[in-house]
Amino acid sequence: MAAIGVAVAPIMTSSAPMAVVLVSGGLDSMISAASAKAAGYRVLALSVDYNQRHKVELAAAARVAEALGAERHIVLPLDLSAFGGSALTADIDVPKDGVQPGIPVTYVPARNTIFLSLALGWAEAAGARDLFIGVNALDYSGYPDCRPEFIAAFEGLAEIATKAGVEGQPFKIHAPLQHMTKADIVREGTRLGVDMGLSWSCYDPTPEGLHCGECDSCRLRSKGFEEAGIPDPTAYAVKPQG
C-alpha cells in the first residue's frame, strides 16, 4: 500500500492554510489527518499524553505525523489519571464483552472537550482557523463528545471564547468522519492511499504489543475492515468477534 505522505500530499505553498489536527494514533484520527492533508492544509499535529493505559498509541501518532509530513508535531503532557474516572486512566478493567448500550467505562470524562480546547489554543497562537478531529457517531462506543451537536456547540464556543473569534475570524471544526461507518472510514483510508497499519486502536494492549482483539475499539476496527472487504493489517492476540 502506498505511503500516506506520497498518496495524499498536494502541492504546498507558503500561502496554504494551516490546520491543527488532533492525532491520537488511532485509525479515525489518522484518516481525519489525511483528509486535512488531501484538502491542501499544512498540518500541525497535536497528540496528548494523558497517561492513558494504551500509551503505545503515542508511538503510532508519531508515525502518522511523520508520514503525513506534519510541519510540527507536539505531544502535550496532561496527566488525566490524576482525575481517574475511566478504564483508560484508572485501575478499572477494560470491558471485553462487545459494544453494549449506554456510555462505557472507557469514556474519559470530557476528553474531546479538553483536547479541542488545547487544539484551539494552539490554532489561535499559530494563526490557524481550522481544526480537525476524527470523531465518528455511527460505528462508535457511544461517547457523548463524538456527536455532531458537540462539534457544533464547540465551534460556537470557539467563536465567543477567543480573541480571533471576537474580532471576526471564526474557527471551523472539521469532523470529516462524523457520519461514516467504520467500513466507510476504511474505504476512505484506502482511497487516500494511507498505510492503516501505522495506526493503533486497542485500549488494552497485550504485553507482546498486540491488539487484544476483545475491547470495543478492536472489535470496531476489525468490523470496519471486514465490512469494507479490505485486508486488516492489524496483529490481534485474539480474533475479534462482531
Side-chain angles (χ1 to χ4, degrees):
M1 185 176 289
I4 183 173
V6 173
V8 304
I11 297 173
M12 289 296 194
T13 68
S14 59
S15 62
M18 287 188 298
V20 174
V21 180
L22 284 165
V23 178
S24 69
L27 178 63
D28 292 356
S29 77
M30 180 184 196
I31 307 306
S32 171
S35 297
K37 185 76 170 180
Y41 288 95
R42 296 156 56 199
V43 172
L44 301 177
L46 177 61
S47 307
V48 182
D49 179 355
Y50 59 99
N51 205 14
Q52 57 269 53
R53 176 192 295 264
H54 55 313
K55 190 173 288 195
V56 64
E57 71 174 356
L58 294 173
R63 293 193 296 267
V64 169
E66 181 178 7
L68 277 170
E71 293 196 5
R72 190 176 177 196
H73 179 208
I74 290 179
V75 179
L76 199 65
L78 182 66
D79 187 0
L80 295 183
S81 69
F83 296 162
S86 168
L88 303 189
T89 58
D91 189 17
I92 301 170
D93 289 340
V94 172
K96 301 291 181 73
D97 299 323
V99 180
Q100 304 293 326
I103 300 171
V105 72
T106 51
Y107 164 71
V108 178
R111 179 174 59 181
N112 284 342
T113 305
I114 294 167
F115 288 2
L116 275 175
S117 296
L118 297 171
L120 178 63
W122 189 12
E124 185 169 33
R129 296 295 174 262
D130 294 272
L131 289 72
F132 279 74
I133 184 170
V135 294
N136 167 262
L138 292 183
D139 285 336
Y140 77 127
S141 295
Y143 301 150
D145 53 0
C146 288
R147 298 174 299 163
E149 49 266 49
F150 165 71
I151 297 298
F154 193 94
E155 193 172 87
L157 170 68
E159 185 168 351
I160 63 173
T162 59
K163 178 177 182 289
V166 169
E167 293 180 348
Q169 301 176 54
F171 294 86
K172 175 66 177 176
I173 313 297
H174 301 262
L177 315 184
Q178 185 83 78
H179 302 291
M180 291 185 181
T181 65
K182 195 65 79 172
D184 291 334
I185 292 168
V186 170
R187 292 187 191 102
E188 180 67 1
T190 302
R191 185 187 72 81
L192 291 169
V194 305
D195 180 358
M196 290 178 278
L198 295 176
S199 65
W200 182 274
S201 296
C202 183
Y203 289 151
D204 195 22
T206 70
E208 297 76 27
L210 302 176
H211 281 64
C212 74
E214 298 178 295
C215 68
D216 287 2
S217 192
C218 280
R219 291 171 190 260
L220 289 168
R221 180 185 178 103
S222 175
K223 175 175 179 278
F225 281 100
E226 183 175 350
E227 291 183 352
I230 292 171
D232 186 349
T234 313
Y236 298 103
V238 175
K239 181 176 172 56
Q241 302 301 311

